[in-house]
Amino acid sequence: MISDEDKDRVRAATDLVQLVQETVELKPRGQEFWGCCPFHGEKTPSFHVIPSTQVWHCFGCGEGGDAFTYVMKRENLSFPESIRYLADRAGIEIADDAPTARRGTKRSRIIDVCEKTCEFYHTMLMRGKDGRGRTYCSERGLNSQVCQRYRLGYAPGRGSLVAHLSAAGFTPREMVDANVAIRRDRGTLSDRFYERVMFPIFDEQGHCIAFGGRIMGDGQPKYLNTAETSVFHKKRNLYGFNWAKEHIVAQNTAVVVEGYTDAIACWEAGIGNVVATLGTALTEHHVKTLTRFAKRIIYLFDGDAAGQKAAERAIQFVETGSVDLRCVILPDDLDPNDFIHERGGDALRELLDQAQPLLDFVFGKLEERSDVSTPSGRARALEDACRLIFPLRSSYMVDTYYMQIADRLGVDVEMVREAAQRVFRDVSRQQEQTRARERAREQASRPADEVAYFDDVPSEPYFDQEVPVESVPEPAPVPLTDLERRALAGERELLCLLTTYPDSFRPFAERICSIDWIDPRHEAIAWAVLATPESSPVGEVMDAVRAVCPEAPQLVGAGTIGATSAHPTETNIEFLLDTLELYTVRRRMKAAQARLRSDRSLLSDERREMTIQATKDAARARELERAVEGVADPFRLIDAQS
C-alpha cells in the first residue's frame, strides 16, 4: 500500500500545468490556464487549470480533479497506478516499489506475467532449438537486429511457457488473467499460443501488456491476439505507440496501419510516426488517443476492398475534436510492408505527403462504384452517400456535406437534403430495432430478481449534473429548485476563490458562517480552509481540504470568476458573499411565506415574529440586490451554469 507521505511527495513534485501541457495547448487567462478538453471533442476551450491549487475542471463534460485524477482519466489507470506513473515521471522512488514490498496489485502482476512471457518468447526465437520462427522472420525481411529491436519472439507451445512461468513463481490464476495460458476441459493449464511468431504489444509507458501471434504456414486464424484483459483493450491500445509517440508529436501527424509487420517496415524505412490497430478498425478511443499528440491522422489502408471499407467506417471520426483525418490507399492491392520492400520508403513518404481528406476519397469511390451518368446509378450513389454521413447527421457542417454530394453526383442540393432525411430515418429505425432485439435478449438472459432490482434504481441525480458527486454516499435523490441550483453554482465559485486566496477570506469568516449551504461538502471545505493558520501556503490548505473531503479537487476547480472578471479579487469576494447571502435570505423568506400560509398551528405571537423577520429579510434582500447589481455583469456565467 502506498503511504500518505509518498502520495504527498509525488503530488508536491508534480506541476499540473506542465503535466497537462504535454498533450493540451494551454493559454494563460488571468491567474489560470485554459484550453480544449482532452476528454471530449470541443472547439471552444472550456477546460481550465488553476496553478495555485493544482486542480483542473472542464465545464463542457463536468470532469475535474487534481494531477492524480487527470492521469487516471488520460492514461486509463487506477489511483495507485496514477501515483506510480507520476512518481516515475518525477524520479521518485516510493516505498511500494521497494524489493521487499508486497507482490503488487493485480494489474502489476499481469504486466509482470507479460514481461516474463515476452522474455521467454524472445529467447525461444533467438536461441531456441526450433528454428522455424527464425526462418519465417528471415523470409519476411525481419533480421536479427529487427527482432531484437522490437522484442519479437516465438511460441513453441506444448506447455513450455506454463512450466517457465510456474518456475518463476506465477500462479495459474495470474497466467489465465494475462491470457497467456488457458484451461482445458479437465482443468489442465496449457499455453495459449503455440508455433507462432510473437509480436509483443506495449502500453504507452513501454510495459508489455499483450501479444499478437502470427501463424507461419497455412491455418486459421492467421493472427491470434491476446483476448481482452484488465490491462489490454484492443479498442484502446495501439501497436507501437510507445515507440511512435515522440515522432508523432514532432511531426504533428500520426500514420495508422493495420498490421504489425506493416508498422515495423515503416519504422525501419525511417517513418517513425506509425502505429497499428490490433485486429479492429480505427475506433473513437484510438482517435482520441492520437489527437492528444497530433492534429492530423493519416489512415494508410491496404489497396484491397477491405481497406476501402475501413476508410468508409472511419468517416464517423472526421469531426472528432479538431483532427484532420486523411487517408492513403496503396496501389496494386499492396500492403505497406510489400509496398516498402518493392518501392522503398521514399515512395511511401510521397504518398503520405499527398494524402487526401477522407471524405473526398470516400465520395470519389461512390462515383466509381455506381454509374452516376444514369438515373439508377445516381440514386444508388445518393443512397450510399447518405448512409455514409449518417454518423455526422447532427453536425453543423452537414449542409456542406450535402453540397459536396450534390456537386459530385450532379443533382440539386435539395434532392440530397430530402433523400438524407429519408435515409436517416430508415437507418435510425433499423438501429433502434437492433437495439431493441439486443435489450430483449439481454433481459431474457437475466434472472427475474436481478431484473426487478435494476428496474427499481432511481435515475434522478443527487445534485445538478454539473456537480461531480461520485464519492458521495447515495441518499435518496433530491430535486433542486432553481434558487438552489443558482446557490449551488455560487458555492462552487466561492470555493474556487477561497482555496486560491484563503487569507483574503479570513476577515469574512462570520459572513461565511451565516450562509445556508446547499451541499454540505462545500461547507466542510470552507471551514477546513478557514481553520488553517494565517499565511499557510496554498498547498497546505489543499491538504487540509482533502483531509475532510476526498472529492475536494473535483469540487474546487469548477469556478470561472478568476478568469472572467475584470474586478480585483476583493470585489469578487464581496460579490460572491453578497450573492450567497442573498440566496440564503430569499430561501428563508420563501420558507417563511410557505409556513405562514399553510401552518395553522402557529400562535399569533409566532406569526408576528415571523412577519417581522420576513420584513427585515425583504429589506436586506433589496440591499443585497443593489450591491450585487453594481458588479454583476462579469458574473452572468453563474446564472448560465445553474
Side-chain angles (χ1 to χ4, degrees), residues 494-618:
L494 180 70
L495 292 181
C496 189
L497 281 186
L498 178 62
T499 50
T500 306
Y501 307 102
D503 286 345
S504 299
F505 277 86
R506 298 187 193 280
F508 301 100
E510 188 173 342
R511 290 197 67 186
I512 293 175
C513 181
S514 67
I515 294 172
D516 288 342
W517 297 82
I518 301 299
D519 188 338
R521 298 173 305 172
H522 294 175
E523 183 176 16
I525 291 172
W527 283 112
V529 173
L530 295 175
T532 57
E534 190 170 355
S535 301
S536 295
V538 174
E540 293 182 8
V541 172
M542 285 300 297
D543 289 340
V545 166
R546 275 188 290 266
V548 300
C549 180
E551 304 89 9
Q554 288 92 329
L555 299 175
V556 303
T560 61
I561 280 183
T564 59
S565 170
H567 294 304
T569 301
E570 291 74 15
T571 303
N572 296 341
I573 291 172
E574 291 186 12
F575 167 79
L576 283 174
L577 292 173
D578 287 343
T579 300
L580 289 175
E581 184 183 350
L582 175 60
Y583 291 149
T584 296
V585 171
R586 285 178 177 174
R587 296 203 310 277
R588 193 164 62 216
M589 290 169 58
K590 191 173 182 180
Q593 291 169 357
R595 191 178 178 196
L596 286 170
R597 285 194 304 267
S598 60
D599 192 348
R600 298 186 179 182
S601 66
L602 287 174
L603 300 176
S604 58
D605 288 346
E606 292 176 320
R607 286 182 175 276
R608 184 168 56 254
E609 289 177 6
M610 290 181 65
T611 303
I612 292 171
Q613 183 61 49
T615 303
K616 292 180 180 179
D617 285 342

Side-chain angles (χ1 to χ4, degrees), residues 124-125 128-137 154 216:
M124 292 298 102
L125 175 66
K129 294 180 179 179
D130 189 338
R132 287 179 294 171
R134 291 188 290 274
T135 301
Y136 173 84
C137 289
Y154 174 70
M216 295 177 294

